[in-house]
Amino acid sequence: VDFIIRLKDRTRAAEVIRAKYPHLEIEKHPDVWRFKKDNSYFIDLMLTKAALFKRVINEYVIVRVGRRQAKIPKLEAALAMNFASMTGHYKNMRKKTQDAVDFMSMLEANATVNLILLRELGEIVYAGGGDEVVRYVADVRAGRKLEI
């Protein structure tokens, strides 16, 4: 499970998770704090250091989960974060493939995508990323294979 957390909230968020899941170890990196047991990761606190996370933290919808309200990323924000992950050079192919499956699943579950917002967010990922992510949407809609 990934959470996008403002830098100022990272310690408090980590304390809440540690209180609920004391058996998990925390691994702190500059852009993410990860909670794991053995070699399996369960929770990532994605810190708003990267430009994309600074931007998408403000692109959310509010949903009810039981008696609580939760902010979840808008579809376009989720697609952009997934796009960044599947086009990044730091992930192995198995994880990139899973990201591509997730990208396609989000599109299959949602008939409408704000392509203007998605293109804007894709450009934050890298120059030219806006056009590429919109092309990915067109490929999925047309049933073509994603080239990642």
Side-chain angles (χ1 to χ4, degrees):
V1 177
D2 294 349
F3 295 93
I4 304 170
I5 303 293
R6 287 183 173 85
L7 287 173
K8 67 182 179 102
D9 298 328
R10 67 184 179 239
T11 301
R12 175 73 179 118
E15 289 169 356
V16 169
I17 292 168
R18 289 194 84 151
K20 183 73 176 170
Y21 304 101
H23 62 284
L24 296 180
E25 302 170 44
I26 188 168
E27 190 175 273
K28 296 180 181 179
H29 300 278
D31 294 328
V32 62
W33 288 8
R34 307 187 83 189
F35 289 84
K36 69 178 189 171
K37 183 173 182 180
D38 302 321
N39 286 327
S40 296
Y41 293 93
F42 296 97
I43 301 169
D44 285 351
L45 299 180
M46 309 301 294
L47 308 177
T48 53
K49 285 189 172 183
L52 181 62
F53 291 124
K54 286 179 185 176
R55 177 66 169 78
V56 299
I57 198 164
N58 297 311
E59 295 294 341
Y60 61 87
V61 294
I62 297 175
V63 298
R64 291 201 71 60
V65 180
R67 293 182 293 162
R68 298 184 184 265
Q69 289 187 337
K71 294 178 183 177
I72 62 168
K74 288 181 180 177
L75 172 63
E76 296 78 12
L79 288 168
M81 289 184 291
N82 208 268
F83 171 72
S85 185
M86 69 186 183
T87 59
H89 300 294
Y90 54 89
K91 275 200 164 177
N92 66 44
M93 187 50 72
R94 184 181 63 78
K95 291 189 181 212
K96 286 183 175 199
T97 302
Q98 182 60 56
D99 290 331
V101 168
D102 294 343
F103 188 91
M104 291 183 285
S105 295
M106 284 187 276
L107 289 170
E108 289 168 2
N110 294 276
T112 305
V113 179
N114 179 339
L115 295 177
I116 294 170
L117 175 59
L118 183 59
R119 180 176 277 115
E120 176 187 330
L121 297 174
E123 279 301 311
I124 295 171
V125 176
Y126 61 85
D131 289 338
E132 186 168 358
V133 72
V134 168
R135 241 185 342 269
Y136 279 19
V137 170
D139 287 346
V140 170
R141 297 280 194 232
R144 293 186 293 266
K145 180 181 175 188
L146 286 181
E147 298 295 328
I148 53 173

